[in-house]
C-alpha cells in the first residue's frame, strides 16, 4: 500500500510521520507546493516544533517516509491520498470573515482528478465545512475512475501532537456507508489505524456526521474556555478564585476537569476559524439563532483579550507610554512555535497602540515571526528581542506572561524583582506562576479570575 499526503503542514507532517512509524510496510509520501517547507522537512531543522517529532522523523525519513514537491508523481502512485491542506477563513468575497476558503482543497481535488490513472481512496484530513465531500466527489467523478471519498478529521492538539497521534481518544472515519465500495474504503483506512489503535476507538459514521463532528468538537472546546473566561471576570469582581471555581465545577463527572483553565483567551489556527465556519454554516442554512449562540463564544474570547490588556494599562497608572513591558511567551500555547491567532498578537497590538516598549522572550518563536505578526519593521524602536526571560525583565515596569512555558515557573524571581523598576508588576495571563511566592517577594500581581489577590 502507498499513501500520499498533500500538505506538509502542522497536521500533514506529524500525522504522516506517525503513520510511517507505525506501518513500516507502507510507503508514505508527503508532498507540498511550498519548496522551503519541504526542504525544511528534509533538513535537521524541521518546520514544525513538536516534542518527540524530530526523533521519529529521523528514524523513518528515507526509510518509508518521504517529503517532496513532486505532487503529481506521489498522487499517481498512491492507493490512499490524504488532503491535509489549509482551510483558512475566507478573506474575500461572499462569506469573507467567516466561511472557509476551500480553494486549496479544490485545487487538490482537481490535481488528483487530472493525474490519476486509477481510482483511489481520497481522504479529507483537513477540517472541512459539512458537505465539502460533495465538492470533491463531483470533481473526481468527472474521471469515471471510481474514487471513494472519506472524511477523517484530525483531532491532534499542537504541543502534544505526537502523543495524541500515538494514542488518540478516537479516530473518526466518515464515508459512504450505504454502498459496498464505501464500506470497503472505510475498512481499508480503518485497517491502517488498527495497527496501533484499538478497533473500539475507531468511530465510523456517514460523511456529513464526520465533517460536522470535527467542527462541533472544536466549538465545544472553545465554548468551555469562553465559559470559564466569562466566569473569570465575575471572579475578579467578587473576590472568588476562578481556579477554585473550575475545580469545584469540573469535579462533577458530567462536566469534567479539562479545558477549564481561565486564560487571556484561546488562540491557535483552529478554534476561531472553525467556530466562524460553524456560524457561517448556520447562517447559510437559515438558522440565525444557532449562529448567534456560537458567535457568542468568539465574542467572549475577544472580550477576554481586550479586558486583559486594559487591565495592564489601568494598573500601570493608565499610562504605558515609553514603559518597558517584558512579554514572556508569544506562541498561542506552550510547546509549539506556532503563533497563528495567538492572543499575544492582539494584546501586544494594544500595548503598541499605547506606545509601550516591548521586550520579547519566547523560547521557540523567532524574532522574524513576531515582527511579521505585529507588522513591525526591522528598525522599529519600540521592540527588543531577548535571549532570556531575565534580559526581557531588566528595567521593565511589568512582566506580561502570555504563554504557559514551563521554564517560567522555575526562574529566580528574587533576581528578577531586583532588576525591575518599582513597583514591579507581574500579569500572569495563564495563572501558571506561584502567586503566593511572588506576593511575598513584593511583586504587584494580577492573575486571571483571581479576585482574592492583594
Ligand atoms: P498548514 O498551513 O500548516 O499546512 C498546509 C500545507 O498545505 C501548507 O504547507 C501549504 O503549502 C500546503 N498546500 C496548500 N495547497 C496545496 C496544494 N494545492 N498542493 C500541495 N500543497 C498545498 O495547515 P495545518 O495546520 O497543517 O492544517 C491543515 C488542516 O488541518 C486545516 O484544515 C486545519 O483546520 C486542520 N487541522 C489543524 C490542526 C492543527 O493543530 N494545526 C489540528 C486539526 C486539524
Ligand atoms: C485544538 C483542539 O484541541 C484539537 O483537538 C484540534 O484538533 C485543533 O484545535 P490546539 O489549538 O492545537 O488544538 O490546542 P489546544 O490545546 O486546544 O489550545 C487552544 C487554545 O486554547 C490555546 O491558546 C490554549 O492556551 C487555550 N486554552 C486551552 C485555554 O485557554 N484554556 C484551556 O483550558 C485550554
Amino acid at each position: 500500500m502507498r499513501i500520499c499526503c498533500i500538505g506538509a503542514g502542522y497536521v500533514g507532517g506529524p500525522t504522516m510521520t506517525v503513520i510511517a512509524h507505525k506501518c513500516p510496510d507502507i510507503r508514505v509520501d508527503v508532498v507540498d507546493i511550498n519548496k522551503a517547507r519541504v526542504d525544511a522537512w528534509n533538513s535537521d531543522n524541521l518546520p514544525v516544533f513538536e516534542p518527540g517529532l524530530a526523533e521519529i522523523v529521523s528514524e523513518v525519513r528515507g526509510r518509508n517516509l518521504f517529503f517532496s514537491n513532486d505532487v503529481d508523481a506521489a498522487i499517481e502512485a498512491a492507493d490512499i491520498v490524504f488532503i491535509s491542506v489549509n482551510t483558512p477563513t475566507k478573506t474575500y468575497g461572499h462569506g469573507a470573515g467567516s466561511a472557509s476558503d476551500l480553494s486549496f482543497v479544490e485545487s487538490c481535488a482537481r490535481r488528483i482528478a487530472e493525474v490519476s490513472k486509477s481510482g483511489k481512496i481520497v481522504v479529507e484530513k483537513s477540517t472541512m465545512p459539512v458537505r465539502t465531500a460533495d465538492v470533491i466527489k463531483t470533481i473526481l467523478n468527472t474521471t469515471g475512475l471510481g474514487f471513494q471519498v472519506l472524511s477523517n478529521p484530525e483531532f491532534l492538539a499542537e504541543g502534544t501532537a505526537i502523543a495524541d497521534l500515538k494514542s488518540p481518544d478516537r479516530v473518526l472515519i466518515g464515508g459512504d456507508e450505504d454502498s459496498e465500495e464505501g464500506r470497503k474504503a472505510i475498512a481499508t483506512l480503518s485497517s491502517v489505524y488498527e495497527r496501533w489503535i484499538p478497533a473500539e476507538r475507531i468511530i465510523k459514521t456517514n460523511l456529513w456526521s464526520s465533517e460536522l463532528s470535527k467542527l462541533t468538537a472544536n466549538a465545544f472546546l472553545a465554548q468551555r474556555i469562553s465559559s470559564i473566561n466569562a466566569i473569570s471576570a465575575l471572579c475578579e469582581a467578587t473576590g472568588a478564585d476562578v481556579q477554585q471555581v473550575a475545580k469545584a465545577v469540573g469535579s462533577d463527572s458530567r462536566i469534567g476537569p479539562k479545558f477549564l483553565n481561565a486564560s487571556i483567551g484561546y488562540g491557535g489556527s483552529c478554534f476561531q476559524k472553525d467556530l466562524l465556519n460553524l456560524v457561517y454554516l448556520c447562517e447559510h442554512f437559515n438558522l440565525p439563532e444557532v449562529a448567534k449562540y456560537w458567535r457568542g463564544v468568539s465574542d467572549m474570547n475577544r472580550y477576554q483579550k481586550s479586558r486583559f490588556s486594559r487591565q495592564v494599562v489601568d494598573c500601570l497608572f493608565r499610562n504605558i507610554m515609553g514603559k518597558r513591558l517584558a512579554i514572556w511567551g508569544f506562541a498561542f500555547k506552550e510547546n509549539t512555535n506556532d503563533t497563528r491567532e495567538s492572543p499575544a498578537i492582539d494584546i501586544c497590538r494594544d500595548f503598541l497602540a499605547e506606545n509601550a516598549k516591548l521586550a520579547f522572550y519566547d523560547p521557540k518563536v523567532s524574532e522574524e515571526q513576531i515582527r511579521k505578526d505585529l507588522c513591525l519593521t526591522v528598525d522599529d524602536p519600540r521592540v527588543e528581542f531577548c535571549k532570556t526571560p531575565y534580559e526581557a525583565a531588566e528595567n521593565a515596569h511589568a512582566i506580561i506572561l502570555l504563554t504557559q512555558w514551563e521554564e517560567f515557573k522555575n526562574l529566580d524571581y528574587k533576581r528578577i524583582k531586583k532588576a525591575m523598576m518599582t513597583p514591579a508588576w507581574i500579569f500572569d495571563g495563564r495563572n501558571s506562576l506561584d502567586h503566593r511566592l511572588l506576593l511575598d517577594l513584593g511583586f504587584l500581581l494580577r492573575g486571571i479570575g483571581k479576585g482574592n489577590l492583594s
Side-chain angles (χ1 to χ4, degrees), residues 309 320 327 330 342-356 358 360 370-376 382 402:
S309 50
I320 56 171
I327 306 295
F330 199 80
S342 177
I345 299 174
D346 285 335
I347 290 167
C348 290
R349 277 192 186 141
D350 287 348
F351 295 154
L352 288 170
E354 296 284 343
N355 285 328
L358 305 184
F360 292 96
I370 295 175
R371 284 194 195 278
K372 200 169 145 204
D373 287 335
L374 296 175
C375 305
L376 298 170
R382 294 171 302 171
L402 299 181

Side-chain angles (χ1 to χ4, degrees), residues 206-222:
N206 74 30
L207 275 166
W208 321 131
S209 306
S210 174
E211 288 177 333
L212 187 55
S213 297
K214 175 63 198 177
L215 293 182
T216 307
N218 274 354
F220 271 50
L221 291 168

Side-chain angles (χ1 to χ4, degrees), residues 194-213:
E194 278 167 38
R195 292 163 185 236
W196 78 97
I197 295 162
E200 61 275 13
R201 279 200 230 161
I202 302 177
I203 301 172
K204 294 163 187 159
T205 68
N206 74 30
L207 275 166
W208 321 131
S209 306
S210 174
E211 288 177 333
L212 187 55
S213 297

Side-chain angles (χ1 to χ4, degrees), residues 6-12 31-34 37 71 84-87 104 107-108 125-127 154 156 158 214 269-270 273 340:
I6 312 178
Y10 281 86
V11 168
V31 290
D32 203 294
I33 43 175
N34 183 332
R37 225 171 203 191
V71 178
S84 187
V85 297
N86 33 332
T87 49
F104 305 101
S107 73
C108 289
K125 182 49 97 180
S126 302
T127 304
E154 185 48 61
L156 68 79
E158 289 181 28
K214 175 63 198 177
S269 63
C270 292
K273 160 177 86 72
R340 290 179 290 180

Side-chain angles (χ1 to χ4, degrees), residues 46 138 399 433-434:
L46 301 182
T138 307
I399 290 166
L433 302 178
D434 181 343

